[in-house]
Amino acid sequence: SAVISQKPSRDICQRGTSLTIQCQVDSQVTMMFWYRQQPGQSLTLIATANQGSEATYESGFVIDKFPISRPNLTFSTLTVSNMSPEDSSIYLCSVDGMGGSNEQFFGPGTRLTVL
Amino acid sequence: QKEVEQNSGPLSVPEGAIASLNCTYSDRGSQSFFWYRQYSGKSPELIMFIYSNGDKEDGRFTAQLNKASQYVSLLIRDSQPSDSATYLCAVKTGGFKTIFGAGTRLFVKA
């Protein structure tokens, strides 16, 4: 299994500001995934981050709003830019299992509240 | 049409009963099927996966897959109050992306 940490665990931000969320994995992984989970909702994939290439965004998510960095095989950041109250959500970092297993492991999440 | 559909619940069962959770998916090319459990305020954690038609048992949990009907289910035997959580059905196609259902909230009454 993979051990994933995220920082910050929670934050309260003002409208119009930006927040960068960090994700650290204890082993090297090819792909890292960023999800959003709005209150009472399921997980929505924002983008997939590969090391050495631009992130691939899902429909409804754009790089200007959610820029992603992937500088190495164990680390990624997601920035939520120009925030509005609609961005209030839990943001989760995830990786695929090691050794070819298909399951996903999730970080503890970052709970974001935008006022 | 949603890609992965679940009844949002809540599903309420008495302690010791069998809880039955259901899920349907739209992509016939889907190859891997998962059930995750998510406690309130926590991240999802995998409890079962299944790749082939039929049943797969792991302790009190049984996953059932019917690809012809595009249907996945999870049975929890001898339900305990600690099983109270949201259960997410998830599906992977031939690629790397996992699609999650909206989740079913389960309450096990002591």
Side-chain angles (χ1 to χ4, degrees):
Chain A
S1 65
V3 177
I4 305 171
S5 60
Q6 284 185 237
K7 286 195 293 188
S9 58
R10 60 178 62 226
D11 207 342
I12 301 173
C13 300
Q14 296 297 318
R15 181 194 297 261
T17 63
S18 297
L19 176 72
T20 295
I21 302 168
Q22 299 179 8
C23 177
Q24 180 77 51
V25 188
D26 69 340
S27 53
Q28 295 184 338
V29 294
T30 304
M31 288 187 287
M32 295 175 77
F33 305 91
W34 286 99
Y35 286 87
R36 181 173 73 183
Q37 188 171 31
Q38 294 181 306
Q41 304 294 314
S42 188
L43 300 160
T44 302
L45 182 64
I46 298 171
T48 303
N50 288 326
Q51 194 268 335
S53 63
E54 281 205 4
T56 302
Y57 289 82
E58 296 300 306
S59 175
F61 298 96
V62 295
I63 188 171
D64 289 347
K65 175 67 175 177
F66 297 101
I68 287 173
S69 79
R70 183 78 201 273
N72 58 52
L73 291 173
T74 63
F75 187 79
S76 178
T77 67
L78 169 76
T79 298
V80 186
S81 303
N82 188 24
M83 288 184 285
S84 66
E86 291 72 35
D87 294 318
S88 297
S89 186
I90 298 174
Y91 291 85
L92 292 152
C93 173
S94 173
V95 302
D96 276 340
M98 306 299 128
S101 88
N102 269 323
E103 68 182 286
Q104 285 196 259
F105 295 95
F106 290 88
T110 296
R111 184 181 294 272
L112 171 62
T113 302
V114 184
L115 303 177
Chain B
Q1 181 188 6
K2 291 183 181 177
E3 295 181 72
V4 180
E5 292 210 48
Q6 297 180 252
N7 187 324
S8 62
L11 172 66
S12 184
V13 301
E15 183 174 1
I18 295 175
S20 178
L21 305 163
N22 304 313
C23 171
T24 58
Y25 60 94
S26 60
D27 186 348
R28 285 197 172 274
S30 300
Q31 299 183 355
S32 309
F33 307 86
F34 308 86
W35 285 98
Y36 289 82
R37 178 177 61 200
Q38 186 174 27
Y39 292 114
S40 181
K42 301 294 186 182
S43 298
E45 55 178 341
L46 181 76
I47 53 172
M48 288 288 289
F49 64 89
I50 187 167
Y51 302 150
S52 304
N53 275 329
D55 294 0
K56 180 181 179 183
E57 187 175 316
D58 183 1
R60 295 186 297 111
F61 299 97
T62 299
Q64 299 174 317
L65 174 61
N66 184 324
K67 288 187 177 181
S69 300
Q70 296 176 245
Y71 178 88
V72 194
S73 66
L74 178 71
L75 300 177
I76 306 175
R77 290 180 299 282
D78 188 25
S79 296
Q80 302 297 309
S82 59
D83 294 326
S84 297
T86 296
Y87 289 80
L88 303 172
C89 175
V91 173
K92 236 176 189 175
T93 61
F96 53 83
K97 205 162 59 170
T98 301
I99 307 298
F100 288 84
T104 298
R105 292 168 58 203
L106 172 66
F107 291 107
V108 180
K109 298 173 291 186

